[in-house]
Amino acid sequence: MRLLVTGATGKVGRALIDKLHGSCEIRALCHNRPLDVPGVECVFGTIADRETARRAMADVTHVVHLATCKETPDEIMDVAVKGLFWLLEEARESPTSQRFVLVGGDAAVGHFVYKHPGPVTETQRHTAYQGCYALSKVLEEVMLEQYQIAYGLNATCLRAPWIMERDDFRYTLSFGPDQFGGPAWRELVDGDVPEQAVPLALDADGAPLKRNFVHVSDLVEAIALGLEHPAAAGQTFNICMDEPVNYQHVAEYLAETRGLPIVKVPTPYHSTWLDNTKARLLLDWRPRYDTERLIEDAWTYQRSPDDPRIVWYPG
């Protein structure tokens, strides 16, 4: 295997390279940040440039496409549409290409923005919500599907929800300026919030919110399977925890184990259940993380001084 990883310096890319390092030849496509891993070849540039994509794809047998943008209208279509297009063009013409793996997102099926009548399976139609990020996730999946139809491209889509590692989950629950991701809890409640409180998010109907997550290690295991498993060819899989995180369970667990006060937070969002049955059945993949392990890992993780937390608020 000669593997190309785009988005190689990101959370998932680095974890995947660490897992596969030494088992195959790896080429990393790097945009802004270098990747200093012995034995890993780096190609620098943007996939929106066809020549960069051509150099990155030369003699490659397998691709894991992770490069993406968030709510950045000036850049997102260059990466998500043009960049993927150039990679797929090279893959379909390459005599060495064997499998193309796209890591997509549950934003392509509406995430928790829309109310779903039942579990969200791979058969649900694409439903982008407002903003450019969800639209980009839809366009990626559709483009990959059409290359499978038109050219018989051997490809797999792994659709993941919010990806957690280290202490990420702890800071998704923060009411302070160190909150990681959204929604911004403090903007949804009135009055003062106790220090170190935990949000009990409520959905649009007033019930405890359920939201989907996956730990990076579980996603990386699914990617490794998707690269070569015969049953993955031409398929889309939801890659997530067996059950979504229930914010009532989280709040009660942290109140019991850490003595944290609970603050109810009404939100306009809807509970969703991303169904991973297909991946468990066809790939024999099993996530190792459940809610309690996600919490315990996040609360016991100790960051070093040279490992600062990145705070990100999505639009």
Side-chain angles (χ1 to χ4, degrees), residues 99-244:
R99 176 72 58 83
F100 193 108
V101 176
L102 168 68
V103 176
D106 65 346
V109 287
H111 185 14
F112 60 10
V113 175
Y114 301 121
K115 192 168 187 176
H116 303 284
V120 178
T121 70
E122 294 82 358
T123 61
Q124 175 166 317
R125 71 186 184 96
H126 293 107
T127 47
Y129 49 85
Q130 293 180 6
C132 60
Y133 176 69
L135 176 61
S136 77
K137 295 292 105 180
V138 170
L139 295 176
E140 285 176 345
E141 290 196 12
V142 172
M143 193 185 307
L144 186 74
E145 177 188 56
Q146 294 307 308
Y147 267 77
Q148 293 171 306
I149 294 170
Y151 304 107
L153 186 72
N154 188 328
T156 300
C157 177
L158 304 178
R159 184 185 291 153
W162 200 359
I163 303 162
M164 296 285 105
E165 67 168 351
R166 298 182 288 185
D167 56 3
D168 283 350
F169 189 66
R170 178 175 183 174
Y171 289 93
T172 69
L173 302 173
S174 173
F175 280 96
D178 55 359
Q179 184 183 354
F180 175 61
W185 308 115
R186 186 171 289 277
E187 297 176 4
L188 297 172
V189 294
D190 296 323
D192 295 332
V193 177
E195 188 175 351
Q196 300 299 318
V198 57
L200 196 176
L202 305 176
D203 66 20
D205 297 322
L209 183 68
K210 295 177 182 178
R211 182 180 183 179
N212 301 283
F213 293 86
V214 68
H215 193 271
V216 66
S217 63
D218 285 331
L219 176 56
V220 164
E221 290 292 336
I223 294 171
L225 285 169
L227 281 168
E228 295 193 282
H229 200 299
Q235 299 294 328
T236 295
F237 298 97
N238 291 334
I239 304 298
C240 55
M241 291 164 51
D242 284 337
E243 296 183 6

Side-chain angles (χ1 to χ4, degrees), residues 27 49-58 86 90 93:
R27 179 180 296 155
D49 173 63
R50 185 171 193 175
E51 286 307 312
T52 299
R54 182 169 288 145
R55 285 188 291 112
M57 289 288 294
W86 291 138
E90 294 300 321
E93 295 178 351

